[in-house]
């Protein structure tokens, strides 16, 4: 089960039932607590012993994703007087991060090709395997045999969660059902311009007791390959499908979306009464890019002005100033009339978002709610965080290929602040959903 290249594998001694592994003839060992397997969003404690007193060592983490992209991180540590290291207590002295950061090796995993975003499509049958190695001395590019190594399997579905592809009526997506009889809060989960069905967040939510539908809306199965004309009846059908599920706490459900998925969840909550809680991450207060139809209403898509795009080194573009301002007269019809919503909103803002001016959009959304005497919102703002706020420990992505732009775009944020924002945000997302979805019946 250890991932070791070729002939190196024979050097591993496996200790049955133990998460440690050690090099034959070497005294140092590295292990993980509480164990070598965990959910992707769970912290682990990385420990090393058998080093010499105050020995300087380099810790390296590495993984290869499903597309074969390699990610790695390196940090410099010093063992204590007993020759031990505990990453929950020992500070990194230098490397990809500094200071006491128990999960630093994980969130600082950086792609060898700087424009890659981690891909994890198979959430059901394989974990992400993070290999952790300990090398003598301080080196940014440690070579040769490590003193000790271990592998952390980070899974997306806890035991008993079932994954069910959904192809019912017009709905295309994947349902994740927690173990047990429930009832569970129901949540619809959507990503943005990346298209398809993204399952990593939905499967983690199900692992924490939410019955979650990862919903496709373009670029999947027989759905259109663009979102120039979406109709909200499609999303309404998904809401009804979910809320009628026998294990879902009724009568309402929640919705979480990032980027384009963010404005969609705001529109859903505004027009579909059974959406009780909406989380918009890096989203807009206007319907963006394509038209959105609902019965006799059409919200045109907020446009962009490409002349305001800036080309950076290596063909990356900064599109942070390209999206038009919803408040400008010609864009007024794009604005989502949020004040009509009965559900609750959570706006999540990375202040250094380089995809959209998310701070501005959230501020406009809140002003509109306040002007209408509404208080059904919360906002979480993270300085120096970017657009792609993912579940905790997801590696930071600085820039990557954007389907619509046809080029790599900057997402914004600084690695440490963005990663710490994700760690803060992930439990708050779950608390918000529970608060508004769990006790609905008793409130009626
Ligand atoms: C849409 O239909 C509703 C109800 O039939 C009506 O009250 C409303 O004025 C119509 N809106 C538009 C924009 O036509
Ligand atoms: C975002 O909007 C604010 C308020 O209008 C403005 O000051 C800021 O320059 C905008 N940022 C970008 C990147 O356009």
């Amino acid at each position: 089960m250890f991932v070791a290249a070729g002939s190196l594998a024979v050097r591993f001694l496996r200790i049955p039932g133990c998460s440690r592994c050690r090099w034959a003839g070497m005294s140092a060992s590295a292990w993980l607590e509480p164990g070598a397997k965990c959910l992707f969003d769970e912290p682990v404690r990385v420990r090393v012993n058998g080093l010499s007193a105050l020995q300087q060592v380099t810790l390296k983490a590495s993984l290869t994703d499903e597309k074969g992209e390699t990610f790695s991180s390196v940090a410099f540590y010093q063992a204590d007087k007993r020759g031990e290291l505990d990453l929950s207590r020992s500070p990194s002295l230098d490397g990809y991060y500094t200071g006491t950061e128990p999960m630093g090796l994980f969130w600082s995993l950086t792609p060898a090709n700087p424009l890659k975003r981690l891909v994890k499509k198979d959430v059901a049958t394989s974990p992400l395997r993070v290999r952790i190695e300990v090398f003598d001395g301080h080196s940014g590019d440690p070579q040769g045999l490590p003193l000790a190594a271990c592998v952390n399997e980070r899974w997306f579905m806890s035991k008993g969660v079932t994954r069910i592809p959904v192809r019912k009526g017009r709905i295309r997506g994947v349902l994740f059902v927690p173990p047990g009889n429930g009832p569970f809060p129901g949540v619809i989960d959507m990503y943005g311009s990346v298209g398809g069905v993204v399952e990593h967040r939905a499967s983690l939510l199900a692992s924490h007791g939410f019955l979650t539908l990862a919903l496709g809306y373009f670029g999947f199965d027989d759905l259109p390959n663009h979102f120039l004309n979406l109709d909200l009846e499609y999303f309404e059908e998904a809401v009804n499908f979910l809320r009628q599920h026998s294990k879902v706490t009724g009568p309402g459900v929640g919705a979480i979306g990032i980027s384009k998925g963010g404005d969609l969840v705001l529109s859903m909550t505004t027009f579909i009464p059974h959406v009780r809680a909406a989380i918009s991450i890096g989203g807009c207060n206007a319907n963006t890019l394509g038209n959105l139809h609902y019965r006799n209403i059409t919200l045109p898509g907020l446009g962009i002005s490409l002349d305001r795009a800036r080309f950076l080194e290596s063909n990356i573009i900064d599109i942070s100033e390209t999206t038009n301002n919803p408040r400008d007269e010609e864009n007024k019809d794009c604005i989502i009339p949020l004040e009509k919503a009965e559900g609750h909103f959570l706006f999540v803002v990375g202040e250094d978002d380089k995809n959209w001016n998310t701070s501005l959009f959230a501020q406009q959304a809140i002003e509109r709610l306040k002007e209408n005497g509404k208080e059904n919102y919360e906002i979480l703002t993270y300085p120096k965080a970017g657009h792609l706020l993912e579940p905790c420990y997801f590696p930071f992505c600085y820039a990557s290929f954007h389907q619509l732009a046809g080029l790599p775009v900057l997402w914004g944020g600084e690695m440490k602040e963005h990663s710490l924002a994700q760690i803060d945000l992930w439990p708050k997302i779950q608390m918000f959903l529970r608060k508004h979805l769990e006790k609905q019946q008793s409130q009626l």
Side-chain angles (χ1 to χ4, degrees), residues 274-296:
H274 286 110
V275 183
R276 303 294 312 157
I279 301 172
S280 166
I281 303 170
C284 185
N285 57 321
N287 173 58
T288 57
L289 301 162
N291 296 325
L292 181 68
H293 309 280
Y294 187 56
R295 301 186 182 161
N296 61 353

Side-chain angles (χ1 to χ4, degrees), residues 16-65:
C18 174
S19 62
R20 304 179 190 201
C21 52
R22 56 171 82 221
W23 294 101
M26 293 285 187
S27 58
S29 61
W31 72 98
L32 301 156
E33 291 175 358
K37 293 186 184 182
C38 61
L39 269 181
F40 180 82
D41 59 5
E42 283 173 345
V44 285
R45 197 162 158 197
V46 180
R47 302 194 64 182
V48 184
N49 69 9
L51 301 170
S52 37
L54 308 182
Q55 184 175 353
Q56 295 196 328
V57 290
T58 298
L59 268 82
K60 177 179 178 179
S62 53
L63 72 79
T64 303
D65 79 2

Side-chain angles (χ1 to χ4, degrees), residues 261-316:
D263 64 77
L264 284 172
V265 301
L266 299 185
S267 292
M268 285 165 70
T269 314
T270 298
F271 295 107
I272 306 170
H274 286 110
V275 183
R276 303 294 312 157
I279 301 172
S280 166
I281 303 170
C284 185
N285 57 321
N287 173 58
T288 57
L289 301 162
N291 296 325
L292 181 68
H293 309 280
Y294 187 56
R295 301 186 182 161
N296 61 353
I297 302 165
T298 294
L299 297 187
L302 180 69
I304 53 177
S305 300
L306 279 177
D307 53 316
R308 292 198 297 262
R310 288 189 298 129
F311 284 80
L312 308 176
E313 83 286 358
S314 53
N315 268 344
I316 301 175

Side-chain angles (χ1 to χ4, degrees), residues 147-188:
L147 303 172
C150 58
V151 173
N152 184 202
E153 291 192 357
R154 305 187 67 77
W155 291 83
F156 287 80
M157 279 166 54
S158 65
K159 200 167 177 287
V161 171
T162 46
R163 176 187 178 277
I164 308 166
V166 179
R167 212 170 189 282
K168 190 164 185 301
R170 295 167 70 196
I171 310 165
R172 301 290 178 264
V174 177
L175 194 65
F176 292 93
V177 182
N181 294 327
F184 306 105
V187 179
I188 290 180

Side-chain angles (χ1 to χ4, degrees), residues 320-321 357 360 363:
S320 59
E321 290 175 17
N357 198 338
L360 175 71
Q363 185 194 322

